[in-house]
Amino acid sequence: MKDGVGIVHALKEKKLSYKELIADVTKKVAQKNTELNAFVTFEPEQAVQVYSPELTKAHPLGGLPFPLKMLGQEKKGWFATSGSKLFQTHRASRNSNFVSQAEAIGLIPLGQTNSPEFGFKNITDPQIYGPAKNPWNIAHSPGGSSGGAAAIVASGILPIAGASDGGGSIRIPASFCGLIGLKPSRGTMPVGPHAWRGWQGAAIDFGLTVSMRDTKALFMGMRGTHSGAPYQVSPIEWQRHLPKQPLKIAVCVDSPIGTPISEEAKEAVNNAAHFLAQSGHEIIEIKYPLNGRDLIQSYYQMNGAETAAMIRSIETNLGRSVTKNDLEPMSWVLLEYGKKVSAATYIESLHLWDHAAVTMEELFQTVDLFLSPTTAFTAPKITADLQNNEIREKMARIDKFNEKESLEIISEMFEESLKITPYTQLANLTGQPAISLPTYIGCNSLPLGIQFMAARGREDILFQIGDLFETNQKFHLPPSY
């Protein structure tokens, strides 16, 4: 397995030199990145300067080159554009705490990966960088918002890349690119020092991987929190748990929003459920436990309000107003809507998240895992038009509409994208961990993942189920692996 732990072991045993490793990565970048548009900055010389053999002794991933996502994963002196032309020349004044922890366990930042503006999309096509492409088929998107990271890992350039997930932005690219994508429990990953709440806890940093041992090593090395962080991990997360046998697993393929689901997504879940039953686990079929439409509306309300607050802060720092020309259309629409969201509406949306979290935790008192598709379809084409002229015309006049009408426009703006990826947002809103596993290849030769959710702090059960699929050779990884 050419995974991160394996590479570090080769470095430690002197079967591979660091200069050889960087030379190989640099060669792959030269061969593949022009086509994939995954790296938007690349700093191999800095990585060579930073490397020391002592790093390989610090952690199972110590010394491994680690691409950072160009959104929130800030390194002092490096570009910090958030995928927006508004910040085209902006550089970070200090490390984010996530990056500092990555360096503390010996990971070496190597460059930065393509991300859509402010991470608002489930595809990656920012105006500032252009679209990232899927290594399985470059006519298709690798997903978003961690699309550049997924393309790097799926292409075999490196087996791990930094990623983040505010509505599925790790798990969606994992599904589309045949990778392992863990969204950890709220409060488990370092936050700050600039943004402590991350979409009110919905957004969290982690990475994309190709092996369960890398996933576990990254999680164990990165987990931690600041004493002043607004979201603190439950003490149960730090405890050791013996593997549970058998597991009770709830299965649902219904769309949370009542939209069509591909037969392939259903087959992926049914195949997994059959394998789990054969392995001795108990499978129960359930209906989707929450009203997905109400939840996604509350998600949009949060997005709008958070965008308005973010842009207000940006305007203060710039000393001028942000104009329509500064932002991409979807960001501008979210901003204009956010200006109209009342404080009461915003608080009500968060109350809905809390009620949903309680409902899911009650479910996890009766079952161990909740299995669904990760995405309803395989990756869309780069050329797919996920909006129409009618909604674009409304978006252009968003300032003319009231709060309720603006929310309807937001919903229309995201509808076609949401139909492709309706399953992932739940774990962000409720704070539970979720993992996408690469267990299925569609008839178009593109991958499609299955998603498991667990109770807060129970990543161990997700690791247990991932190990089961991996050791039984049920993963369909990219050809490079």
Side-chain angles (χ1 to χ4, degrees), residues 406-422:
S406 295
L407 180 57
E408 291 172 355
I409 292 170
I410 295 283
S411 298
E412 290 180 52
M413 179 176 78
F414 281 117
E415 182 67 11
E416 292 305 311
S417 296
L418 181 64
K419 288 177 182 178
I420 302 171
T421 60

Side-chain angles (χ1 to χ4, degrees), residues 59-61 66 98 101 105 107 160 182-190 204-207 209 211-224 233-234 236-239 241 433-435 455-463:
H59 185 269
L61 298 174
F66 186 60
F98 180 84
Q101 180 61 19
I105 65 172
L107 290 166
I160 299 179
L182 171 69
K183 196 287 290 183
S185 298
R186 182 177 297 162
T188 55
M189 291 292 116
I204 191 167
D205 287 290
F206 191 60
T209 58
S211 73
M212 288 308 301
R213 68 178 183 177
D214 278 4
T215 308
K216 290 182 280 189
L218 186 64
F219 179 76
M220 297 302 179
M222 291 301 300
R223 66 180 185 175
V233 67
S234 165
I236 194 173
E237 198 282 325
W238 306 110
Q239 298 171 9
H241 302 274
I435 193 168
R456 284 189 189 177
R458 296 310 305 268
E459 277 82 357
D460 62 294
I461 304 180
L462 298 181
F463 296 153

Side-chain angles (χ1 to χ4, degrees), residues 35-107:
E35 184 174 72
L36 296 177
N37 196 27
F39 270 116
V40 294
T41 73
F42 184 56
E43 304 287 348
E45 298 84 4
Q46 287 193 34
V48 172
Q49 292 170 7
V50 170
Y51 177 75
S52 163
E54 294 300 310
L55 292 175
T56 63
K57 302 174 185 177
H59 185 269
L61 298 174
L64 189 72
F66 186 60
L68 304 176
K69 184 176 176 180
M70 185 65 91
L71 179 66
Q73 296 179 358
E74 297 184 353
K75 179 169 173 58
K76 183 178 180 180
W78 286 24
F79 283 108
T81 69
S82 297
S84 176
K85 58 190 176 182
L86 187 61
F87 295 120
Q88 189 158 4
T89 61
H90 178 66
R91 292 181 182 269
S93 60
R94 61 186 296 181
N95 281 11
S96 70
N97 288 339
F98 180 84
V99 171
S100 292
Q101 180 61 19
E103 293 181 327
I105 65 172
L107 290 166

Side-chain angles (χ1 to χ4, degrees), residues 183 185 360-361 363-364 367-371 427 430-435 451-463 465:
K183 196 287 290 183
S185 298
M360 292 306 294
E361 287 298 323
L363 174 64
F364 290 125
V367 302
D368 299 295
L369 292 168
F370 175 43
L371 168 62
T430 60
Q432 279 109 9
I435 193 168
Q451 176 179 259
F452 290 92
M453 283 181 64
R456 284 189 189 177
R458 296 310 305 268
E459 277 82 357
D460 62 294
I461 304 180
L462 298 181
F463 296 153
I465 208 70

Side-chain angles (χ1 to χ4, degrees), residues 372-384:
S372 73
T374 305
T375 57
F377 298 89
T378 54
K381 287 189 174 182
I382 298 287
T383 56

